[in-house]
Amino acid sequence: MSDLTLQTTEATLGDLAFKAHERLATKDVQVAMTGGSISDYPFDTYETDVGFGALVGGREVPVRMLFSNNDTLFATDATPVPSRRGAVVALEVFRSEPSA
């Protein structure tokens, strides 16, 4: 068994490394957002592309991405982006509608 490295797109801040034979734990990933301004509140929206590629022992391996939104203040539209390497999704993030 070899170490796993998840390579990220430019919007994310750094690759993720996992040691062989260790349990995989969830990791938070910071993502740079564009296309919006907080001054547009409560109508602010943001965009980004997030992607991952994987290397095991220095060799590229297939990647499958499952995306979910767990933030109650924001809603997200996710659209797969064709990529020859890894999995990429285009995200649009916008304020959730207030519930009555």
Side-chain angles (χ1 to χ4, degrees):
M1 282 276 170
S2 298
D3 294 346
L4 167 68
T5 301
L6 289 180
Q7 299 174 320
T8 62
T9 53
E10 301 84 33
T12 56
L13 304 176
D15 294 343
L16 305 173
F18 300 92
K19 293 286 185 192
H21 307 290
E22 291 185 9
R23 177 168 279 180
L24 294 180
T26 59
K27 294 190 179 188
D28 291 334
V29 177
Q30 293 183 358
V31 178
M33 306 297 278
T34 62
S37 172
I38 191 70
S39 64
D40 293 336
Y41 175 84
F43 305 107
D44 49 331
T45 61
Y46 306 91
E47 299 172 349
T48 193
D49 289 349
V50 176
F52 296 94
L55 299 174
V56 174
R59 297 182 64 206
E60 195 171 303
V61 294
V63 174
R64 180 177 144 197
M65 183 189 321
L66 300 174
F67 179 83
S68 64
N69 177 20
N70 297 320
D71 191 325
T72 57
L73 298 178
F74 286 90
T76 306
D77 284 336
T79 306
V81 175
S83 174
R84 291 182 290 168
R85 293 187 49 170
V88 180
V89 64
L91 300 176
E92 181 181 13
V93 181
F94 47 94
R95 298 259 173 202
S96 297
E97 296 289 326
S99 57

